[in-house]
Amino acid sequence: MTRRLLPYLLAAIVLAGGAAAILMFLNVRPVSVTVVSFEKDVPVRVFGLGTVEARIVSKIGFEIGAAIVELKADHGDRVKKGDVLARLHATAQEAKVARTKAIVLSAEAGIRKADANHEKTRAVLAKKQATNRRKQQLVGRNVVSEESAEESQRDEDVAKADLTVTLSEVEVARALLADARAQLQIEEALLAHYTLTAPFDAMIVERLKELGTVIKAGDPIISLVAPETVWVLAYIDESRAGPIAEGQPAIVRLRSQPQQRFEARVVRIGVESDRTSEERRVYVKCDQCAPQFYLGEQAEVLVTVAHLDRALLVPEAAVEGFDGTKGAVWTVEDGRLARRVLSFRYRTEDGRLEVVGGLPDKAQVVAAIDSGFVEGRSARIVKEAGR
């Protein structure tokens, strides 16, 4: 039995020895690696997806309800502040304005009449006063009777009372005129509500109602946008958004014009991130945008957060256990493989990390990991990755 198994045992030993020899050869044989090299003038950009939006977008309508009898604007039109966009049926309100204007005219005539009466009673009082003074002087000389002097005094007192009455009538007439004018202002203001005008220089985005429609107060009629406030709202991952600051340059690519690059600048950073997607809202405005914009169009945004004069960049795929600041890499040191934990700072848009610490002098970082890597194994550099 033992003799029959002996050949098999010898064959197994030979095979195991051969495998061990092959494994030892593979481990001793230098592995070919690509390492990264220093690069100069490297822009660090953060990528974000977003849409074309505008800071001032308004849906405007009437403060009252009635039938639309005139529409003077449609989507795509450019309008100036104060331009008439639409009108409502306003016959009843126009009649109220005409009636109130007549009341104003009547009040103005009433005040002229009251002024005339006041002047008349003033003249009568002056005459009565003069007559009374003469009779009071003559009664002392026994030229006129006491009864006549008393009557003259009563006439003067009555004239004074009449003057007071006419002065009150003038004040009442003025009050009536002021009330009529105020009522006219109210009716004219209400009449103005039947006309819809542009609140600012704008482009019409959409006409929401058509001619003849009976609308309620507050119904939106026209949607318009201020073209100078158009910008791009980009959503950027919070883990990448830390270095972003207002004023930084950016590049915008529109989905409808992928071959065009529009220079832009960060003008606002949202103070509240999206709690679901964990993204930060970043607003960029083009220095020279496309002449025609489309709200809601998808856009790609690249914000330049830094510019590296000289940097060593490692592909993120070659970093193991990366936690946002540190990770392990393979290095070539004195011709052999080693593992090092390095510190990183910026991440480029093509997925490479800037090495800022932990790398010994003369050590070179491997650009791609291989399954045959073992610490201490000989390594032969065949190419340096870099641009």
Side-chain angles (χ1 to χ4, degrees):
M1 182 68 176
T2 304
R3 289 179 180 179
R4 286 200 299 267
L5 293 176
L6 185 60
Y8 295 104
L9 292 174
L10 291 174
I13 292 172
V14 170
L15 291 175
I22 293 172
L23 183 61
M24 183 177 296
F25 172 76
L26 291 175
N27 286 334
V28 173
R29 181 177 61 87
V31 63
S32 298
V33 297
T34 301
V35 297
V36 298
S37 59
F38 281 93
E39 300 179 40
K40 294 182 179 180
D41 195 25
V42 180
V44 180
R45 299 188 179 100
V46 176
F47 175 81
L49 278 176
T51 53
V52 177
E53 304 293 344
R55 184 171 55 84
I56 299 178
V57 181
S58 300
K59 289 186 177 181
I60 60 175
F62 293 95
E63 297 181 36
I64 56 175
I68 300 174
V69 296
E70 185 177 359
L71 279 172
K72 302 185 68 175
D74 204 349
H75 75 278
D77 292 347
R78 298 270 180 159
V79 295
K80 296 289 185 181
K81 180 179 180 180
D83 286 352
V84 175
L85 305 179
R87 284 193 173 92
L88 297 179
H89 185 267
T91 302
Q93 186 59 35
E94 289 171 349
K96 289 181 180 180
V97 171
R99 178 175 177 275
T100 310
K101 285 182 178 179
I103 293 174
V104 171
L105 292 176
S106 176
E108 289 173 345
I111 200 171
R112 288 193 296 270
K113 180 180 179 181
D115 284 336
N117 286 335
H118 182 62
E119 290 301 321
K120 178 181 177 181
T121 53
R122 181 178 299 188
V124 170
L125 174 60
K127 180 180 179 182
K128 296 294 184 181
Q129 286 176 332
T131 301
N132 186 39
R133 282 195 300 272
R134 288 195 302 271
K135 286 192 176 183
Q136 295 303 326
Q137 291 173 354
L138 294 174
V139 75
R141 303 177 194 171
N142 296 321
V143 176
V144 297
S145 65
E146 294 239 355
E147 182 181 352
S148 178
E150 289 175 359
E151 184 178 352
S152 177
Q153 182 64 48
R154 283 195 303 272
D155 290 342
E156 180 181 344
D157 293 340
V158 171
K160 286 180 179 180
D162 290 341
L163 182 63
T164 301
V165 171
T166 57
L167 181 59
S168 298
E169 290 174 348
V170 169
E171 292 176 351
V172 170
R174 287 176 179 171
L176 290 174
L177 178 60
D179 179 69
R181 285 174 175 172
Q183 189 62 38
L184 177 60
Q185 288 181 337
I186 292 173
E187 299 298 345
E188 288 178 336
L190 290 174
L191 180 61
H193 291 170
Y194 287 75
T195 301
L196 185 65
T197 59
F200 49 82
D201 295 351
M203 187 181 83
I204 306 300
V205 177
E206 187 178 6
R207 194 167 78 183
L208 304 169
K209 301 293 182 182
E210 295 302 327
L211 200 65
T213 304
V214 177
I215 56 120
K216 301 188 297 293
D219 284 352
I221 305 299
I222 289 174
S223 176
L224 42 79
V225 59
E228 70 277 6
T229 68
V230 172
W231 55 14
V232 175
L233 167 57
Y235 294 89
I236 297 178
D237 192 290
E238 288 178 332
S239 63
R240 311 296 185 199
I244 296 177
E246 291 185 11
Q248 289 175 337
I251 296 172
V252 174
R253 290 192 183 95
L254 300 176
R255 189 171 187 180
S256 62
Q257 304 179 53
Q259 71 283 0
Q260 296 289 330
R261 290 160 52 100
F262 298 98
E263 301 294 327
R265 195 161 297 278
V266 177
V267 294
R268 179 185 292 180
I269 300 172
V271 296
E272 183 178 12
S273 296
D274 190 295
R275 291 174 173 81
T276 303
S277 63
E278 298 179 349
E279 293 174 321
R280 189 165 297 171
R281 297 178 178 90
V282 177
Y283 300 81
V284 301
K285 186 170 178 60
C286 295
D287 298 327
Q288 190 67 39
C289 293
Q292 181 61 49
F293 60 88
Y294 299 90
L295 298 181
E297 179 177 0
Q298 191 176 86
E300 296 179 355
V301 176
L302 286 171
V303 180
T304 302
V305 298
H307 210 91
L308 307 178
D309 295 330
R310 185 171 183 270
L312 186 65
L313 300 172
V314 182
E316 191 170 354
V319 182
E320 298 176 328
F322 181 59
D323 63 1
T325 58
K326 292 183 179 181
V329 300
W330 286 95
T331 62
V332 177
E333 301 176 24
D334 296 327
R336 295 188 178 276
L337 291 176
R339 278 174 61 84
R340 294 282 182 180
V341 176
L342 305 184
S343 297
F344 302 95
R345 182 171 55 173
Y346 290 117
R347 179 186 185 276
T348 63
E349 72 267 23
D350 58 358
R352 296 186 298 159
L353 304 172
E354 179 200 11
V355 177
V356 293
L359 186 66
D361 293 340
K362 298 183 180 179
Q364 293 178 285
V365 181
V366 177
I369 300 176
D370 188 89
S371 58
F373 282 5
V374 178
E375 285 196 84
R377 182 176 179 179
S378 297
R380 179 168 58 90
I381 297 174
V382 296
K383 185 180 178 183
E384 288 190 355
R387 295 180 299 174

